[in-house]
Amino acid sequence: MPDMHMRRNEGRKMATGATEAAIELRSTGESRNRSRGNPGTGDKEEVLLEVRGLKKYFPILGGLFRRPVGYARAVDGVDFYIRRGETLGLVGESGSGKTTAGMCILHLIEPTAGKIRFNRDGEFIEVNSRTVRSLRRSMQIIFQDPYSSLDPRMMVQDIIAEPLEAQGVRSRRERYERVEELLNAVGMSSQHMRRFPHEFSGGQRQRIGIARALALNPSLIVCDEPVSALDVSVQAQVLNLLDDLQERFGLTYLFIAHDLSVVQHVSDRVAVMYLGKIVEIADVEELFNNPRHPYTEALFSAIPVPDPDFQYKQIILEGDVPSPIDPPPGCNFHPRCRYARAICSKEEPVLREVGGDGHLAACHFADDLVLMGVWGPGIAQTG
């Protein structure tokens, strides 16, 4: 059993080989503006979205009459908030429940339990089956796959205009004028309006998807891995476009991603999910420099460093991710945790503040562990 206190590796620099070797993101080495106050306060005047106790259980059907014999706990009691104008990054392994949480917030998937409240003009409105249609103007999504998310039988002008028509903009002229405006905003032109999706590259298709998400002037956009399906050379262009649009239109993002370098570049705060639960939330610089949960440390140790002279030991998690159908007792991460103690298999840790400044972690030993982080602001610090 390794010692409870691990020595930080101060020489480690944040990098992701493939991404950073091929492209340079704007504002490399510079941190985002994080002067919105204490992220732990959750000031109601600033909060745009509030999620409490969000759960999504998928039934497992069996027997002759296909009745539920169990449930897969895709999202299991998630709590967080997003301030107006900020970007909250949501990271975790495949199957951790990131995308499902985003879909539940927009009611593209009906949640099993929990409350989602959206701040519209200073009034918090609960998002449910009765209110979701009226809130569609305020909440939109950018899908992961730009190939399957666009109808191949529709022209670009009709794809982008469809939300406008669904929300009551009856004048075709008004819709197409808005489409032209949106295409210009995402770096395309009116010449593309009467083309079909198969005539565009992956990056151009994702720009069309972004334009569709902007059609109704939303306040919140759920970005479901918006660059993971794109070539590395195109990813930076789309990320810089999202950054420009956020500044121009005052957008708020829930940014779901696997690439930690991308998350560090675009996010103000980051939430880490494991097996349907959030295990840590903090300001991005605080999280990357001073993780308080062993799972977060393991994620950081998997980041490759493009320096042949730099030596570090990657943390290899033992075993497989437990099944969401039958999660382990106590802490979900304890079967794979190198710091696990007897209490970890008996009591589930609560997500609590550790160290101040709104840094939350769900670990019994979060106050005692000294874990290895990723040093230096920005994502391309190599010197």
Side-chain angles (χ1 to χ4, degrees), residues 32-85:
R32 291 169 58 90
N33 179 9
R34 311 187 199 285
S35 59
R36 296 188 176 96
N38 185 344
T41 60
D43 189 339
K44 297 297 182 181
E45 293 180 359
E46 291 185 304
V47 171
L48 180 68
L49 181 76
E50 196 174 59
V51 177
R52 291 287 177 263
L54 181 63
K55 296 182 180 181
K56 179 57 187 179
Y57 295 175
F58 291 99
I60 301 171
L61 305 180
L64 179 63
F65 298 103
R66 306 296 294 168
R67 293 175 177 171
V69 295
Y71 293 91
R73 303 179 181 186
V75 180
D76 194 14
V78 165
D79 300 321
F80 65 86
Y81 66 88
I82 309 177
R83 284 198 180 98
R84 189 182 301 275

Side-chain angles (χ1 to χ4, degrees), residues 22-34:
I23 61 176
E24 290 185 5
L25 295 174
R26 182 184 305 146
S27 302
T28 293
E30 299 178 2
S31 57
R32 291 169 58 90
N33 179 9
R34 311 187 199 285

Side-chain angles (χ1 to χ4, degrees), residues 220-265:
L220 172 71
I221 295 181
V222 175
C223 304
D224 183 17
E225 302 191 43
V227 298
S228 64
L230 304 179
D231 293 336
V232 172
S233 59
V234 181
Q235 289 183 7
Q237 299 173 20
V238 174
L239 290 173
N240 288 332
L241 172 63
L242 291 172
D243 193 43
D244 289 340
L245 294 172
Q246 184 174 37
E247 293 184 7
R248 180 177 174 183
F249 299 114
L251 299 172
T252 302
Y253 293 146
L254 174 60
F255 196 94
I256 300 168
H258 282 106
D259 192 331
L260 291 170
S261 65
V262 170
V263 169
Q264 188 181 22
H265 175 74

Side-chain angles (χ1 to χ4, degrees), residues 38-40 281-283 286 290 292 353-360 367:
N38 185 344
I281 307 177
D283 175 90
E286 167 67 13
N290 185 30
R292 295 301 188 98
E353 186 164 1
V354 291
D357 294 329
H359 193 151
L360 309 178
D367 292 317

Side-chain angles (χ1 to χ4, degrees), residues 1-252:
M1 180 74 66
D3 189 83
M4 180 71 75
H5 295 270
M6 290 192 62
R7 189 171 62 187
R8 287 192 181 94
N9 190 336
E10 298 191 5
R12 189 157 185 218
K13 306 297 189 294
M14 176 64 186
T16 298
T19 301
E20 297 178 7
I23 61 176
E24 290 185 5
L25 295 174
R26 182 184 305 146
S27 302
T28 293
E30 299 178 2
S31 57
R32 291 169 58 90
N33 179 9
R34 311 187 199 285
S35 59
R36 296 188 176 96
N38 185 344
T41 60
D43 189 339
K44 297 297 182 181
E45 293 180 359
E46 291 185 304
V47 171
L48 180 68
L49 181 76
E50 196 174 59
V51 177
R52 291 287 177 263
L54 181 63
K55 296 182 180 181
K56 179 57 187 179
Y57 295 175
F58 291 99
I60 301 171
L61 305 180
L64 179 63
F65 298 103
R66 306 296 294 168
R67 293 175 177 171
V69 295
Y71 293 91
R73 303 179 181 186
V75 180
D76 194 14
V78 165
D79 300 321
F80 65 86
Y81 66 88
I82 309 177
R83 284 198 180 98
R84 189 182 301 275
E86 80 168 351
T87 299
L88 176 67
L90 191 59
V91 301
E93 292 175 284
S94 295
S96 62
K98 307 182 301 297
T99 294
T100 303
M103 294 289 189
C104 287
I105 289 171
L106 299 175
H107 270 248
L108 296 177
I109 298 176
E110 188 71 22
T112 302
K115 288 188 176 182
I116 304 162
R117 301 202 306 157
F118 184 83
N119 184 349
R120 185 170 66 181
D121 300 327
E123 179 185 358
F124 278 91
I125 301 173
E126 185 171 343
V127 184
N128 53 43
S129 57
R130 297 188 303 274
T131 62
V132 66
R133 184 172 179 83
S134 65
L135 291 173
R136 286 279 184 242
R137 286 181 173 269
S138 302
M139 301 188 298
Q140 287 292 315
I141 185 171
I142 300 170
F143 292 99
Q144 175 179 355
D145 188 356
Y147 295 90
S148 62
S149 61
L150 304 178
D151 191 329
R153 302 179 185 86
M154 296 176 67
M155 289 187 290
V156 169
Q157 62 184 16
D158 298 318
I159 290 173
I160 299 176
E162 189 173 21
L164 297 168
E165 185 176 4
Q167 288 290 327
V169 180
R170 300 303 179 188
S171 170
R172 176 176 294 186
R173 180 179 177 180
E174 289 182 20
R175 294 200 301 267
Y176 288 166
E177 286 177 353
R178 175 62 173 161
V179 169
E180 185 175 354
E181 177 186 340
L182 290 165
L183 286 173
N184 290 330
V186 298
M188 301 181 72
S189 71
S190 59
Q191 298 178 357
H192 299 120
M193 290 177 62
R194 297 186 63 81
R195 297 184 186 178
F196 290 90
H198 73 270
E199 301 179 68
F200 297 95
S201 66
Q204 289 175 315
R205 294 187 193 196
Q206 195 62 297
R207 289 173 184 265
I208 295 169
I210 294 171
R212 178 177 60 185
L214 292 172
L216 297 171
N217 289 320
S219 302
L220 172 71
I221 295 181
V222 175
C223 304
D224 183 17
E225 302 191 43
V227 298
S228 64
L230 304 179
D231 293 336
V232 172
S233 59
V234 181
Q235 289 183 7
Q237 299 173 20
V238 174
L239 290 173
N240 288 332
L241 172 63
L242 291 172
D243 193 43
D244 289 340
L245 294 172
Q246 184 174 37
E247 293 184 7
R248 180 177 174 183
F249 299 114
L251 299 172
T252 302

